[in-house]
Amino acid sequence: MKQFKIHQDFITLGQFLKATDHIGSGGEAKFFLLENDVLVNQERRTERGKKLFHGDIVTIGREQFTIVHD
């Protein structure tokens, strides 16, 4: 499992997808989330504005990330 460090209280799922190079721009987030299984704490999420906080676990395919506050 990889760690993803954030420097603020939260990051949105769309920002996270862009920062981890799963999408190239924020506009792609909506389509990516509809076409791929993205789990936040083992729940499928489709909203790009979903806030991710310290301790949340994001799963995309076989990749898993833990959100860590820096």
Side-chain angles (χ1 to χ4, degrees):
M1 184 179 311
K2 301 175 187 175
Q3 290 189 342
F4 183 84
K5 292 184 181 182
I6 59 174
H7 304 287
Q8 58 277 9
D9 292 335
F10 66 88
I11 187 172
T12 66
L13 185 53
Q15 292 169 328
F16 171 83
L17 292 172
K18 187 171 180 203
T20 56
D21 293 326
H22 286 91
I23 60 173
S25 70
E28 296 175 21
K30 179 179 178 180
F31 302 105
F32 184 87
L33 291 168
L34 290 175
E35 296 174 0
N36 297 277
D37 287 334
V38 177
L39 307 177
V40 176
N41 300 325
Q42 299 184 348
E43 280 187 42
R44 187 167 192 278
R45 305 310 291 218
T46 58
E47 60 275 20
R48 64 184 176 197
K50 168 71 178 148
K51 293 179 181 177
L52 305 175
F53 297 93
H54 173 80
D56 284 342
I57 297 174
V58 181
T59 306
I60 304 168
R62 294 179 182 215
E63 289 184 287
Q64 257 192 343
F65 299 86
T66 301
I67 306 299
V68 180
H69 192 272
D70 189 18

